[in-house]
Amino acid sequence: MSGAPSCRRGTARRAAALAAACAAVGLAACGGGGGGDPAPAPPAAAAACDLASQKAWLRDDMAQRYLWNTLSPSPDPAPYGSLPSYFGALLFTGGGGIPADRWSYLSDSAAYDQFFAEGRTLGYGVAVNGAEGRPPLRVRYVEARSPAGVAGLRRGERIVSVNGRSGDELLRLGDFAALSPAREGDSVTLELEPEAGGTRRTVVLRAATFDLTPVPVVGTLPGPGGRPVGYLLMKDFITQAEEPLRTGLAQLRAAGATELVLDLRYNGGGRVSTANVLGSLIVGAERNGQVFTELRYNARLAAQNTRFTFEASTPGFQRVVVLTGPRTCSASELVVNGLAPYLPVATIGGATCGKPYGFNPTPNCGTTVSAVNFESVNAAGVGRYHDGLPATCSVDDTATGSFGQPDEALTAGALGWLATGRCSAAAAAPRDKAAAAVAATALRRGVVDGPGERPPGMWADRPAPR
């Protein structure tokens, strides 16, 4: 631990860097935000970065801005030997129909800013079906610009071994640490087998910091009567997604698509402002000025309650089908819930993760505190979906098949629903409910089996004027 004077200088440098990032992307937690700031000013940065000072700062911050500030414990910080242990002791333990806080978390500020301000992350770029715990271990997602993407890894490939350990063993133990490097240059060796079987290959990946691809797939599908149906896969609600969203949805409308399949199955959330951009493009200009979502803070800060409203200049879509599962969380759920009062919205896949809460993150001494600051409700006042938003049609995501292709399981289920308004025979088939429950529980406990993934969340920024 560095001494207090050095720590104060480091905090000042980090604060300046964060202020610059916030100026660029409009983070309300930094005091920006078109016409009104939903984030009350946090306590001043800790005078020093020793543990006692950090715990004192954290206690003050939680007492002011935590959503459940009057209901949560407030123990003496002295006995706690680390900031994470004290943070855990301050969290709401549940009551009044609300479960214990499983959403708040701490993160390294540099990594946090890199992901959400720069749209970049450190990793190999390969995600697996690890949370499900159901063999075989497969590649479920590959970041296009990552080492895995460059090496040609494909969704659906079976991972026979990781650094010589069998994929089945890793699934059984829930141990995917080898896929999360600590630094650039770390390596992992994967033995892979094609989805349909065949010749195995060995690939060595070296960790690197790469640009995220938040909107990796946009295209059309054959819909009812031969009409085109739009398809868009969205992975991250970051500002770098906004221009691809505008361009991609414009292309789909130009192709004649009036119905949209929106794939959010692996989207853990992000910025409320980016979710608002997506929602606005979907409902179109005729809904301008109507409420997308309202963020509600604790009673002490009720004056900070904020409404995000739709703003678009183009036509919208008539029907939307959203592909969902236990990794669909927070800002992704916000989109589904926010569209529901205005459009027929069906969900295909599995129930979402159940996180109607969000943050105004606060950095201090190199740690960014994401403690729940608000809950979200839609224009009809609907929120608190703690058990997740249920699927209209339940379909297993087998981590096979290409995204946006008619024969991929969830996509096929979406096309069947658009054609008939009912769940198709394949979609209606019994799901592995035990596996789905295991996946949801594992994800809630923080199992990380993907590239650069963060705990699920949504962050308030750039609110509309009230």
Side-chain angles (χ1 to χ4, degrees):
M1 180 77 68
S2 58
S6 173
C7 186
R8 282 195 291 270
R9 287 193 296 272
T11 301
R13 286 194 297 270
R14 282 188 294 271
L18 186 62
C22 291
V25 299
L27 281 173
C30 304
D37 186 352
C49 289
D50 59 275
L51 180 59
S53 296
Q54 290 189 66
K55 288 190 294 184
W57 177 90
L58 180 62
R59 188 179 193 178
D60 289 346
D61 182 67
M62 298 285 280
Q64 290 182 41
R65 304 191 309 125
Y66 190 45
L67 181 62
W68 301 291
N69 60 339
T70 62
L71 301 174
S72 58
S74 183
D76 178 0
Y80 294 87
S82 69
L83 194 67
S85 64
Y86 184 53
F87 180 67
L90 292 170
L91 299 183
F92 177 57
T93 57
I98 301 173
D101 181 1
R102 61 177 184 261
W103 307 285
S104 298
Y105 70 99
L106 305 177
S107 56
D108 174 76
S109 292
Y112 181 95
D113 296 342
Q114 183 182 68
F115 192 96
F116 290 105
E118 301 175 24
R120 310 181 76 222
T121 195
L122 167 69
Y124 301 117
V126 57
V128 299
N129 59 333
E132 288 80 359
R134 181 176 54 190
L137 185 66
R138 292 188 183 276
V139 174
R140 64 171 172 83
Y141 189 82
V142 177
E143 281 284 351
R145 301 177 185 177
S146 71
V150 172
L153 269 68
R154 296 182 294 275
R155 173 176 163 84
E157 286 188 283
R158 180 190 169 204
I159 300 179
V160 179
S161 66
V162 179
N163 291 340
R165 298 176 64 191
S166 77
D168 288 348
E169 176 190 0
L170 297 178
L171 270 175
R172 186 173 64 253
L173 299 175
D175 180 6
F176 311 103
L179 299 177
S180 296
R183 61 190 64 83
E184 291 196 10
D186 284 356
S187 66
V188 65
T189 301
L190 305 177
E191 185 182 5
L192 302 163
E193 182 178 275
E195 178 182 330
T199 303
R200 294 180 179 181
R201 62 178 176 138
T202 299
V203 175
V204 178
L205 302 178
R206 297 200 178 277
T209 298
F210 57 88
D211 292 332
L212 298 166
T213 306
V215 185
V217 184
V218 180
T220 57
L221 296 161
R227 298 189 307 273
V229 170
Y231 172 90
L232 185 142
L233 170 63
M234 186 172 184
K235 178 62 169 57
D236 304 296
F237 282 97
I238 54 179
T239 55
Q240 290 79 6
E242 294 176 14
E243 188 55 35
L245 284 175
R246 293 186 178 96
T247 302
L249 291 174
Q251 290 173 349
L252 297 179
R253 288 191 299 270
T258 60
E259 299 170 319
L260 177 67
V261 176
L262 176 62
D263 196 337
L264 299 178
R265 75 182 83 183
Y266 299 149
N267 193 315
R271 299 178 184 278
V272 175
S273 62
T274 304
N276 194 47
V277 168
L278 175 59
S280 298
L281 293 169
I282 290 173
V283 299
E286 67 180 80
R287 296 294 183 181
N288 276 355
Q290 297 188 41
V291 174
F292 170 57
T293 191
E294 180 178 352
L295 311 184
R296 297 177 177 176
Y297 290 76
N298 65 37
R300 178 179 180 181
L301 301 171
Q304 304 292 342
N305 291 354
T306 304
R307 288 180 174 178
F308 283 74
T309 57
F310 295 120
E311 181 179 353
S313 59
T314 54
F317 293 86
Q318 296 174 5
R319 288 196 296 173
V320 179
V321 180
V322 186
L323 308 186
T324 61
R327 294 178 177 85
T328 307
C329 207
S330 211
S332 291
E333 294 172 295
L334 185 75
V335 169
V336 178
N337 195 46
L339 294 177
Y342 305 104
L343 283 174
V345 179
T347 51
I348 308 294
T352 62
C353 84
K355 184 182 179 296
Y357 303 104
F359 320 117
N360 293 104
T362 309
N364 188 65
C365 293
T367 296
T368 292
V369 178
S370 295
V372 170
N373 301 120
F374 59 82
E375 66 173 316
S376 65
V377 298
N378 67 14
V382 175
R384 299 197 177 184
Y385 34 84
H386 302 122
D387 294 327
L389 301 170
T392 304
C393 299
S394 293
V395 182
D396 265 329
D397 180 6
T398 60
T400 59
S402 298
F403 294 115
Q405 294 300 308
D407 58 353
E408 189 276 321
L410 270 64
T411 307
L415 292 174
W417 188 89
L418 285 170
T420 66
R422 299 186 301 273
C423 299
S424 66
R431 301 179 70 236
D432 189 336
K433 294 182 179 180
V438 167
T441 301
L443 291 165
R444 287 170 179 170
R445 290 176 178 172
V447 170
V448 175
D449 57 6
E453 293 181 347
R454 298 290 183 271
M458 58 181 162
W459 293 265
D461 61 311
R462 298 210 313 260
R466 296 191 65 197

PDB file of all heavy atoms in Angstrom, residues 17-54:
ATOM      1  N   ALA A  17      -8.368  12.175 -15.336  1.00  0.00           N
ATOM      2  CA  ALA A  17      -8.595  11.291 -16.483  1.00  0.00           C
ATOM      3  C   ALA A  17     -10.064  10.931 -16.614  1.00  0.00           C
ATOM      4  O   ALA A  17     -10.630  10.911 -17.718  1.00  0.00           O
ATOM      5  CB  ALA A  17      -7.747  10.018 -16.344  1.00  0.00           C
ATOM      6  N   LEU A  18     -10.707  10.644 -15.470  1.00  0.00           N
ATOM      7  CA  LEU A  18     -12.117  10.291 -15.512  1.00  0.00           C
ATOM      8  C   LEU A  18     -12.958  11.474 -15.959  1.00  0.00           C
ATOM      9  O   LEU A  18     -13.908  11.331 -16.723  1.00  0.00           O
ATOM     10  CB  LEU A  18     -12.581   9.814 -14.135  1.00  0.00           C
ATOM     11  CG  LEU A  18     -14.022   9.280 -14.095  1.00  0.00           C
ATOM     12  CD1 LEU A  18     -14.144   8.057 -14.999  1.00  0.00           C
ATOM     13  CD2 LEU A  18     -14.422   8.949 -12.680  1.00  0.00           C
ATOM     14  N   ALA A  19     -12.591  12.677 -15.516  1.00  0.00           N
ATOM     15  CA  ALA A  19     -13.335  13.863 -15.932  1.00  0.00           C
ATOM     16  C   ALA A  19     -13.259  14.039 -17.443  1.00  0.00           C
ATOM     17  O   ALA A  19     -14.244  14.394 -18.105  1.00  0.00           O
ATOM     18  CB  ALA A  19     -12.787  15.103 -15.239  1.00  0.00           C
ATOM     19  N   ALA A  20     -12.074  13.778 -18.014  1.00  0.00           N
ATOM     20  CA  ALA A  20     -11.927  13.892 -19.467  1.00  0.00           C
ATOM     21  C   ALA A  20     -12.789  12.859 -20.178  1.00  0.00           C
ATOM     22  O   ALA A  20     -13.448  13.161 -21.182  1.00  0.00           O
ATOM     23  CB  ALA A  20     -10.461  13.711 -19.859  1.00  0.00           C
ATOM     24  N   ALA A  21     -12.792  11.635 -19.649  1.00  0.00           N
ATOM     25  CA  ALA A  21     -13.612  10.596 -20.264  1.00  0.00           C
ATOM     26  C   ALA A  21     -15.088  10.953 -20.174  1.00  0.00           C
ATOM     27  O   ALA A  21     -15.854  10.763 -21.119  1.00  0.00           O
ATOM     28  CB  ALA A  21     -13.360   9.237 -19.596  1.00  0.00           C
ATOM     29  N   CYS A  22     -15.483  11.502 -19.032  1.00  0.00           N
ATOM     30  CA  CYS A  22     -16.881  11.845 -18.853  1.00  0.00           C
ATOM     31  C   CYS A  22     -17.296  12.985 -19.759  1.00  0.00           C
ATOM     32  O   CYS A  22     -18.426  13.046 -20.243  1.00  0.00           O
ATOM     33  CB  CYS A  22     -17.150  12.218 -17.400  1.00  0.00           C
ATOM     34  SG  CYS A  22     -17.024  10.805 -16.300  1.00  0.00           S
ATOM     35  N   ALA A  23     -16.374  13.918 -19.998  1.00  0.00           N
ATOM     36  CA  ALA A  23     -16.686  15.004 -20.922  1.00  0.00           C
ATOM     37  C   ALA A  23     -16.969  14.460 -22.307  1.00  0.00           C
ATOM     38  O   ALA A  23     -17.791  14.989 -23.048  1.00  0.00           O
ATOM     39  CB  ALA A  23     -15.525  15.994 -20.980  1.00  0.00           C
ATOM     40  N   ALA A  24     -16.267  13.378 -22.648  1.00  0.00           N
ATOM     41  CA  ALA A  24     -16.438  12.801 -23.976  1.00  0.00           C
ATOM     42  C   ALA A  24     -17.721  12.006 -24.095  1.00  0.00           C
ATOM     43  O   ALA A  24     -18.375  12.012 -25.129  1.00  0.00           O
ATOM     44  CB  ALA A  24     -15.244  11.907 -24.327  1.00  0.00           C
ATOM     45  N   VAL A  25     -18.100  11.260 -23.033  1.00  0.00           N
ATOM     46  CA  VAL A  25     -19.234  10.359 -23.172  1.00  0.00           C
ATOM     47  C   VAL A  25     -20.425  10.761 -22.332  1.00  0.00           C
ATOM     48  O   VAL A  25     -21.469  10.124 -22.376  1.00  0.00           O
ATOM     49  CB  VAL A  25     -18.825   8.901 -22.813  1.00  0.00           C
ATOM     50  CG1 VAL A  25     -17.752   8.423 -23.749  1.00  0.00           C
ATOM     51  CG2 VAL A  25     -18.378   8.788 -21.358  1.00  0.00           C
ATOM     52  N   GLY A  26     -20.327  11.819 -21.531  1.00  0.00           N
ATOM     53  CA  GLY A  26     -21.489  12.341 -20.841  1.00  0.00           C
ATOM     54  C   GLY A  26     -21.911  11.555 -19.631  1.00  0.00           C
ATOM     55  O   GLY A  26     -23.099  11.398 -19.375  1.00  0.00           O
ATOM     56  N   LEU A  27     -20.997  11.021 -18.861  1.00  0.00           N
ATOM     57  CA  LEU A  27     -21.365  10.258 -17.673  1.00  0.00           C
ATOM     58  C   LEU A  27     -21.983  11.164 -16.624  1.00  0.00           C
ATOM     59  O   LEU A  27     -21.366  12.104 -16.153  1.00  0.00           O
ATOM     60  CB  LEU A  27     -20.137   9.571 -17.066  1.00  0.00           C
ATOM     61  CG  LEU A  27     -19.664   8.298 -17.743  1.00  0.00           C
ATOM     62  CD1 LEU A  27     -18.352   7.853 -17.139  1.00  0.00           C
ATOM     63  CD2 LEU A  27     -20.691   7.204 -17.599  1.00  0.00           C
ATOM     64  N   ALA A  28     -23.219  10.865 -16.230  1.00  0.00           N
ATOM     65  CA  ALA A  28     -23.882  11.705 -15.237  1.00  0.00           C
ATOM     66  C   ALA A  28     -23.194  11.619 -13.891  1.00  0.00           C
ATOM     67  O   ALA A  28     -23.255  12.542 -13.097  1.00  0.00           O
ATOM     68  CB  ALA A  28     -25.345  11.286 -15.100  1.00  0.00           C
ATOM     69  N   ALA A  29     -22.538  10.513 -13.595  1.00  0.00           N
ATOM     70  CA  ALA A  29     -21.845  10.389 -12.321  1.00  0.00           C
ATOM     71  C   ALA A  29     -20.727  11.393 -12.181  1.00  0.00           C
ATOM     72  O   ALA A  29     -20.217  11.609 -11.096  1.00  0.00           O
ATOM     73  CB  ALA A  29     -21.277   8.969 -12.174  1.00  0.00           C
ATOM     74  N   CYS A  30     -20.322  11.976 -13.307  1.00  0.00           N
ATOM     75  CA  CYS A  30     -19.267  12.978 -13.277  1.00  0.00           C
ATOM     76  C   CYS A  30     -19.817  14.379 -13.284  1.00  0.00           C
ATOM     77  O   CYS A  30     -19.064  15.335 -13.455  1.00  0.00           O
ATOM     78  CB  CYS A  30     -18.343  12.790 -14.482  1.00  0.00           C
ATOM     79  SG  CYS A  30     -17.650  11.151 -14.561  1.00  0.00           S
ATOM     80  N   GLY A  31     -21.124  14.550 -13.168  1.00  0.00           N
ATOM     81  CA  GLY A  31     -21.715  15.872 -13.109  1.00  0.00           C
ATOM     82  C   GLY A  31     -22.187  16.392 -14.435  1.00  0.00           C
ATOM     83  O   GLY A  31     -22.630  17.528 -14.515  1.00  0.00           O
ATOM     84  N   GLY A  32     -22.112  15.588 -15.526  1.00  0.00           N
ATOM     85  CA  GLY A  32     -22.622  16.017 -16.810  1.00  0.00           C
ATOM     86  C   GLY A  32     -24.075  15.634 -16.943  1.00  0.00           C
ATOM     87  O   GLY A  32     -24.707  15.172 -16.017  1.00  0.00           O
ATOM     88  N   GLY A  33     -24.638  15.883 -18.122  1.00  0.00           N
ATOM     89  CA  GLY A  33     -25.948  15.304 -18.348  1.00  0.00           C
ATOM     90  C   GLY A  33     -27.007  16.282 -18.752  1.00  0.00           C
ATOM     91  O   GLY A  33     -27.613  16.906 -17.911  1.00  0.00           O
ATOM     92  N   GLY A  34     -27.303  16.358 -20.019  1.00  0.00           N
ATOM     93  CA  GLY A  34     -28.244  17.238 -20.685  1.00  0.00           C
ATOM     94  C   GLY A  34     -29.429  17.687 -19.902  1.00  0.00           C
ATOM     95  O   GLY A  34     -30.460  17.046 -19.889  1.00  0.00           O
ATOM     96  N   GLY A  35     -29.327  18.805 -19.251  1.00  0.00           N
ATOM     97  CA  GLY A  35     -30.478  19.452 -18.664  1.00  0.00           C
ATOM     98  C   GLY A  35     -30.774  19.046 -17.258  1.00  0.00           C
ATOM     99  O   GLY A  35     -31.659  19.595 -16.620  1.00  0.00           O
ATOM    100  N   GLY A  36     -30.068  18.074 -16.720  1.00  0.00           N
ATOM    101  CA  GLY A  36     -30.334  17.655 -15.358  1.00  0.00           C
ATOM    102  C   GLY A  36     -29.468  16.481 -15.020  1.00  0.00           C
ATOM    103  O   GLY A  36     -29.258  15.618 -15.839  1.00  0.00           O
ATOM    104  N   ASP A  37     -28.947  16.424 -13.811  1.00  0.00           N
ATOM    105  CA  ASP A  37     -28.009  15.383 -13.420  1.00  0.00           C
ATOM    106  C   ASP A  37     -28.703  14.430 -12.477  1.00  0.00           C
ATOM    107  O   ASP A  37     -29.064  14.813 -11.372  1.00  0.00           O
ATOM    108  CB  ASP A  37     -26.800  16.028 -12.734  1.00  0.00           C
ATOM    109  CG  ASP A  37     -25.711  15.014 -12.423  1.00  0.00           C
ATOM    110  OD1 ASP A  37     -25.964  13.807 -12.609  1.00  0.00           O
ATOM    111  OD2 ASP A  37     -24.633  15.436 -11.991  1.00  0.00           O
ATOM    112  N   PRO A  38     -28.942  13.146 -12.863  1.00  0.00           N
ATOM    113  CA  PRO A  38     -29.617  12.227 -11.970  1.00  0.00           C
ATOM    114  C   PRO A  38     -28.719  11.731 -10.859  1.00  0.00           C
ATOM    115  O   PRO A  38     -29.171  11.034  -9.976  1.00  0.00           O
ATOM    116  CB  PRO A  38     -30.006  11.072 -12.897  1.00  0.00           C
ATOM    117  CG  PRO A  38     -28.924  11.056 -13.908  1.00  0.00           C
ATOM    118  CD  PRO A  38     -28.560  12.505 -14.117  1.00  0.00           C
ATOM    119  N   ALA A  39     -27.430  12.034 -10.920  1.00  0.00           N
ATOM    120  CA  ALA A  39     -26.492  11.514  -9.941  1.00  0.00           C
ATOM    121  C   ALA A  39     -26.165  12.591  -8.930  1.00  0.00           C
ATOM    122  O   ALA A  39     -25.484  13.547  -9.238  1.00  0.00           O
ATOM    123  CB  ALA A  39     -25.213  11.047 -10.614  1.00  0.00           C
ATOM    124  N   PRO A  40     -26.660  12.486  -7.695  1.00  0.00           N
ATOM    125  CA  PRO A  40     -26.269  13.445  -6.675  1.00  0.00           C
ATOM    126  C   PRO A  40     -24.775  13.382  -6.455  1.00  0.00           C
ATOM    127  O   PRO A  40     -24.155  12.340  -6.621  1.00  0.00           O
ATOM    128  CB  PRO A  40     -27.033  12.980  -5.433  1.00  0.00           C
ATOM    129  CG  PRO A  40     -27.307  11.536  -5.683  1.00  0.00           C
ATOM    130  CD  PRO A  40     -27.487  11.399  -7.165  1.00  0.00           C
ATOM    131  N   ALA A  41     -24.174  14.511  -6.098  1.00  0.00           N
ATOM    132  CA  ALA A  41     -22.731  14.550  -5.897  1.00  0.00           C
ATOM    133  C   ALA A  41     -22.336  13.585  -4.795  1.00  0.00           C
ATOM    134  O   ALA A  41     -22.893  13.625  -3.698  1.00  0.00           O
ATOM    135  CB  ALA A  41     -22.294  15.960  -5.535  1.00  0.00           C
ATOM    136  N   PRO A  42     -21.407  12.690  -5.067  1.00  0.00           N
ATOM    137  CA  PRO A  42     -20.958  11.765  -4.032  1.00  0.00           C
ATOM    138  C   PRO A  42     -20.112  12.500  -3.005  1.00  0.00           C
ATOM    139  O   PRO A  42     -19.691  13.642  -3.231  1.00  0.00           O
ATOM    140  CB  PRO A  42     -20.123  10.753  -4.806  1.00  0.00           C
ATOM    141  CG  PRO A  42     -19.610  11.536  -5.975  1.00  0.00           C
ATOM    142  CD  PRO A  42     -20.705  12.498  -6.327  1.00  0.00           C
ATOM    143  N   PRO A  43     -19.831  11.874  -1.872  1.00  0.00           N
ATOM    144  CA  PRO A  43     -18.919  12.487  -0.912  1.00  0.00           C
ATOM    145  C   PRO A  43     -17.589  12.798  -1.579  1.00  0.00           C
ATOM    146  O   PRO A  43     -17.191  12.139  -2.536  1.00  0.00           O
ATOM    147  CB  PRO A  43     -18.761  11.406   0.163  1.00  0.00           C
ATOM    148  CG  PRO A  43     -19.974  10.553   0.045  1.00  0.00           C
ATOM    149  CD  PRO A  43     -20.324  10.565  -1.412  1.00  0.00           C
ATOM    150  N   ALA A  44     -16.921  13.831  -1.096  1.00  0.00           N
ATOM    151  CA  ALA A  44     -15.606  14.172  -1.630  1.00  0.00           C
ATOM    152  C   ALA A  44     -14.690  12.964  -1.528  1.00  0.00           C
ATOM    153  O   ALA A  44     -14.846  12.101  -0.664  1.00  0.00           O
ATOM    154  CB  ALA A  44     -15.023  15.346  -0.856  1.00  0.00           C
ATOM    155  N   ALA A  45     -13.736  12.885  -2.460  1.00  0.00           N
ATOM    156  CA  ALA A  45     -12.802  11.762  -2.449  1.00  0.00           C
ATOM    157  C   ALA A  45     -12.129  11.640  -1.089  1.00  0.00           C
ATOM    158  O   ALA A  45     -11.926  12.626  -0.380  1.00  0.00           O
ATOM    159  CB  ALA A  45     -11.760  11.948  -3.544  1.00  0.00           C
ATOM    160  N   ALA A  46     -11.806  10.406  -0.744  1.00  0.00           N
ATOM    161  CA  ALA A  46     -11.148  10.165   0.533  1.00  0.00           C
ATOM    162  C   ALA A  46      -9.879  11.006   0.642  1.00  0.00           C
ATOM    163  O   ALA A  46      -9.138  11.168  -0.331  1.00  0.00           O
ATOM    164  CB  ALA A  46     -10.801   8.682   0.663  1.00  0.00           C
ATOM    165  N   ALA A  47      -9.648  11.567   1.820  1.00  0.00           N
ATOM    166  CA  ALA A  47      -8.472  12.411   2.028  1.00  0.00           C
ATOM    167  C   ALA A  47      -7.192  11.634   1.797  1.00  0.00           C
ATOM    168  O   ALA A  47      -6.163  12.199   1.437  1.00  0.00           O
ATOM    169  CB  ALA A  47      -8.497  12.989   3.440  1.00  0.00           C
ATOM    170  N   ALA A  48      -7.236  10.341   2.024  1.00  0.00           N
ATOM    171  CA  ALA A  48      -6.086   9.472   1.796  1.00  0.00           C
ATOM    172  C   ALA A  48      -6.617   8.122   1.352  1.00  0.00           C
ATOM    173  O   ALA A  48      -7.809   7.838   1.446  1.00  0.00           O
ATOM    174  CB  ALA A  48      -5.250   9.330   3.060  1.00  0.00           C
ATOM    175  N   CYS A  49      -5.731   7.285   0.837  1.00  0.00           N
ATOM    176  CA  CYS A  49      -6.158   5.992   0.318  1.00  0.00           C
ATOM    177  C   CYS A  49      -5.806   4.829   1.234  1.00  0.00           C
ATOM    178  O   CYS A  49      -5.784   3.676   0.789  1.00  0.00           O
ATOM    179  CB  CYS A  49      -5.580   5.774  -1.081  1.00  0.00           C
ATOM    180  SG  CYS A  49      -6.346   6.836  -2.311  1.00  0.00           S
ATOM    181  N   ASP A  50      -5.512   5.114   2.490  1.00  0.00           N
ATOM    182  CA  ASP A  50      -5.356   4.021   3.440  1.00  0.00           C
ATOM    183  C   ASP A  50      -6.720   3.380   3.642  1.00  0.00           C
ATOM    184  O   ASP A  50      -7.773   3.970   3.349  1.00  0.00           O
ATOM    185  CB  ASP A  50      -4.788   4.532   4.762  1.00  0.00           C
ATOM    186  CG  ASP A  50      -5.676   5.578   5.398  1.00  0.00           C
ATOM    187  OD1 ASP A  50      -5.550   6.777   5.049  1.00  0.00           O
ATOM    188  OD2 ASP A  50      -6.536   5.187   6.215  1.00  0.00           O
ATOM    189  N   LEU A  51      -6.731   2.156   4.142  1.00  0.00           N
ATOM    190  CA  LEU A  51      -7.971   1.391   4.252  1.00  0.00           C
ATOM    191  C   LEU A  51      -9.002   2.089   5.123  1.00  0.00           C
ATOM    192  O   LEU A  51     -10.196   2.137   4.774  1.00  0.00           O
ATOM    193  CB  LEU A  51      -7.666  -0.013   4.789  1.00  0.00           C
ATOM    194  CG  LEU A  51      -8.884  -0.939   4.949  1.00  0.00           C
ATOM    195  CD1 LEU A  51      -9.600  -1.129   3.608  1.00  0.00           C
ATOM    196  CD2 LEU A  51      -8.441  -2.295   5.516  1.00  0.00           C
ATOM    197  N   ALA A  52      -8.599   2.655   6.236  1.00  0.00           N
ATOM    198  CA  ALA A  52      -9.548   3.315   7.133  1.00  0.00           C
ATOM    199  C   ALA A  52     -10.253   4.470   6.432  1.00  0.00           C
ATOM    200  O   ALA A  52     -11.477   4.650   6.558  1.00  0.00           O
ATOM    201  CB  ALA A  52      -8.834   3.807   8.393  1.00  0.00           C
ATOM    202  N   SER A  53      -9.493   5.266   5.666  1.00  0.00           N
ATOM    203  CA  SER A  53     -10.089   6.404   4.958  1.00  0.00           C
ATOM    204  C   SER A  53     -11.044   5.928   3.872  1.00  0.00           C
ATOM    205  O   SER A  53     -12.122   6.510   3.674  1.00  0.00           O
ATOM    206  CB  SER A  53      -8.995   7.271   4.350  1.00  0.00           C
ATOM    207  OG  SER A  53      -8.175   7.840   5.341  1.00  0.00           O
ATOM    208  N   GLN A  54     -10.676   4.871   3.157  1.00  0.00           N
ATOM    209  CA  GLN A  54     -11.553   4.357   2.106  1.00  0.00           C
ATOM    210  C   GLN A  54     -12.850   3.809   2.690  1.00  0.00           C
ATOM    211  O   GLN A  54     -13.934   4.018   2.130  1.00  0.00           O
ATOM    212  CB  GLN A  54     -10.833   3.261   1.324  1.00  0.00           C
ATOM    213  CG  GLN A  54      -9.698   3.775   0.451  1.00  0.00           C
ATOM    214  CD  GLN A  54      -9.166   2.686  -0.454  1.00  0.00           C
ATOM    215  OE1 GLN A  54      -9.873   2.204  -1.343  1.00  0.00           O
ATOM    216  NE2 GLN A  54      -7.933   2.283  -0.227  1.00  0.00           N
TER     217      GLN A  54
END
